[in-house]
Amino acid sequence: MTDKSVILGRPSGRNAGAASRTSGPTHGNLSEQEIVEAALRVIHQDGLDKLSMRRLSRELGVSAMAPYYYVSDKEELLDLVATAALDGVTAPAPGPEWTERLRTLIDQIDQRLSTYPGLGEVLLDQMLRRQRHLVALVMDILFEAGFDDRNVFCAYSTIHTYLYGRSSVSTQDPAVPDRATLPDVVARATVHLDEVHGRDIYRFGVDTLIAGLRAQLERQKQAST
């Protein structure tokens, strides 16, 4: 279950000195943009679990200590990386039904999560410390749809858990098992393993999520009459 601290954020003292550092040239003629872009390249190529300060310095072609002049540790680096990776996610154009606007927004975020494997796990824990505007974009759509305050919180929590939590599940197509060893009901379903891929499962999940939210909204309206 998504903990409230994930949604509401939590104070952190570890970056207290970060705000005092200015952007621009850093030790070894690096800049914040160069550091973040190098980290994103590593994540895109090898996944988040391969990103370390030492691996970053190799990508940049500098000494192992050079990145520390700007970022104090990997956790601070991930804050910058998450912000850069999600840069450009915008509110869907007004006009379409709320379900279509919500789908457009979810698709924008998922596209970036797909580009940078493992980033969703970071965002699952760090949301609202750096990404409050994305939370607001989702909640704006939910409020406009007519969800009350409590249900907006519940709806966002559900979207948050699906969107960012699913990144911890492998998107690679699984190997076809020996169906002779499977229970009958499992064997029936796994007949379709060869034709169902990660994007199919993603679209099915979003369809199910939005249909469920629509049903919850109708239930809320009925309860208020």
Side-chain angles (χ1 to χ4, degrees):
M1 182 173 64
T2 303
D3 189 274
K4 289 184 179 180
S5 64
V6 174
I7 308 301
L8 300 178
R10 55 182 181 272
S12 175
R14 66 176 179 79
N15 287 333
S20 64
R21 289 195 290 268
T22 57
S23 59
T26 66
H27 184 66
N29 294 320
L30 296 176
S31 68
E32 175 185 318
Q33 181 177 353
E34 289 173 318
I35 291 172
V36 171
E37 287 179 350
L40 288 173
R41 286 196 302 272
V42 173
I43 296 172
H44 178 66
Q45 294 166 5
D46 303 321
L48 182 70
D49 60 335
K50 298 298 184 182
L51 178 64
S52 65
M53 298 298 280
R54 186 173 296 277
R55 173 71 174 83
L56 176 64
S57 65
R58 291 203 305 271
E59 181 71 20
L60 289 164
V62 297
S63 70
M65 297 305 296
Y68 285 100
Y69 187 86
Y70 193 85
V71 290
S72 60
D73 53 30
K74 181 179 176 180
E75 195 171 355
E76 184 177 337
L77 173 64
L78 291 177
D79 282 341
L80 296 172
V81 166
T83 298
L86 293 173
D87 185 44
V89 174
T90 58
E97 185 183 19
W98 70 270
T99 56
E100 291 307 311
R101 287 185 285 124
L102 182 60
R103 185 190 300 273
T104 297
L105 183 55
I106 290 174
D107 284 347
Q108 285 187 68
I109 299 171
D110 182 76
Q111 188 276 328
R112 284 157 177 78
L113 297 180
S114 299
T115 301
Y116 303 108
L119 187 63
E121 296 177 42
V122 176
L123 292 167
L124 194 62
D125 292 329
Q126 294 184 357
M127 211 66 177
L128 254 197
R129 190 166 59 191
R130 292 270 181 175
Q131 310 302 327
R132 298 176 184 178
H133 69 291
L134 291 184
V135 179
L137 288 178
V138 174
M139 288 188 172
D140 276 345
I141 294 173
L142 296 171
F143 274 120
E144 290 173 10
F147 287 95
D148 61 29
D149 295 6
R150 183 179 186 278
N151 284 341
V152 164
F153 179 83
C154 291
Y156 175 78
S157 298
T158 303
I159 295 168
H160 180 101
T161 303
Y162 175 73
L163 188 56
Y164 300 108
R166 68 182 290 272
S167 67
S168 63
V169 180
S170 175
T171 56
Q172 299 296 317
D173 295 332
V176 178
D178 179 3
R179 296 191 179 95
T181 65
L182 297 175
D184 289 344
V185 291
V186 178
R188 286 175 56 190
T190 55
V191 167
H192 301 282
L193 268 177
D194 295 334
E195 64 189 65
V196 177
H197 305 288
R199 297 311 297 174
D200 300 311
I201 296 171
Y202 167 74
R203 285 191 291 269
F204 185 91
V206 174
D207 287 346
T208 303
L209 179 63
I210 290 177
L213 290 174
R214 188 194 294 274
Q216 288 287 358
L217 182 58
E218 288 302 314
R219 181 180 298 179
Q220 173 190 299
K221 291 177 179 177
Q222 292 172 9
S224 64
T225 56

